[in-house]
């Protein structure tokens, strides 16, 4: 969330770590830790991060989902934040359309693997 909130072309309040503050109609990028594993003992980890983009407009949802994907895959590697160095990011799944049945919002979700080391 911290990284995405610093990106000028992503709405500052859109990235969220839980949906309790989500209001139907608010453009939201919901980020969730979805697993991972220790790559090298006491040195490196892989964190699998799922991102879901909600919006009332389908084009806005897909455009933002692919922008989030681009920022994570292309710009996040080799950055330092929160005491970690991001070594690499690889795609697990590109954004797929999953409309929300209860809110009737459009939602696109994807997943990335983030490789990090403590600095």
């Amino acid at each position: 969330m911290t990284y995405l909130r610093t990106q000028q072309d992503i709405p500052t309040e859109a990235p969220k770590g839980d949906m309790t503050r989500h209001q139907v109609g608010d453009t939201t990028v919901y980020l969730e830790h979805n697993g991972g594993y220790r790559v090298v003992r006491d040195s490196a980890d892989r964190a699998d991060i799922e991102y879901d983009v909600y919006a009332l407009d389908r084009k806005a949802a897909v455009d933002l989902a692919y922008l989030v994907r681009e920022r994570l895959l292309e710009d996040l590697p080799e950055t330092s934040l929160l005491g970690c160095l991001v070594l690499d990011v690889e795609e697990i799944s590109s954004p797929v359309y999953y409309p929300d049945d209860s809110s009737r919002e459009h939602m696109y979700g994807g997943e990335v693997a983030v490789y990090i080391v403590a600095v």
Side-chain angles (χ1 to χ4, degrees), residues 14-19 28-32 50-54:
K16 294 181 173 57
D18 68 49
M19 294 293 281
T28 298
V29 178
Y30 173 53
L31 299 158
E32 181 176 23
E50 186 176 315
Y51 58 93
D52 298 328
V53 176
Y54 292 80

Side-chain angles (χ1 to χ4, degrees), residues 1-12 67 71 75-76:
M1 288 184 330
T2 302
Y3 172 75
L4 290 177
R5 285 183 176 156
T6 66
Q7 303 305 297
Q8 293 181 354
D9 44 5
I10 294 177
T12 305
L67 179 60
R71 292 292 173 264
D75 299 335
L76 182 57

Side-chain angles (χ1 to χ4, degrees), residues 9-72:
D9 44 5
I10 294 177
T12 305
E13 295 303 314
K16 294 181 173 57
D18 68 49
M19 294 293 281
T20 58
R21 297 174 306 180
H22 175 69
Q23 299 285 330
V24 173
D26 288 349
T27 299
T28 298
V29 178
Y30 173 53
L31 299 158
E32 181 176 23
H33 181 248
N34 199 32
Y37 55 86
R38 174 65 43 103
V39 178
V40 178
R41 186 182 336 216
D42 294 330
S43 297
D45 289 297
R46 170 183 155 162
D48 296 346
I49 307 296
E50 186 176 315
Y51 58 93
D52 298 328
V53 176
Y54 292 80
L56 286 179
D57 180 74
R58 186 170 182 171
K59 183 172 180 351
V62 71
D63 288 350
L64 185 53
Y66 275 92
L67 179 60
V68 167
R69 174 184 182 252
E70 180 181 344
R71 292 292 173 264
L72 294 174

Side-chain angles (χ1 to χ4, degrees), residues 90-107:
E90 69 180 21
E91 188 161 59
I92 296 172
S93 174
S94 65
V96 176
Y97 184 58
Y98 298 105
D100 189 300
D101 291 335
S102 61
S103 71
R104 307 298 299 153
E105 292 173 285
H106 297 285
M107 193 277 278

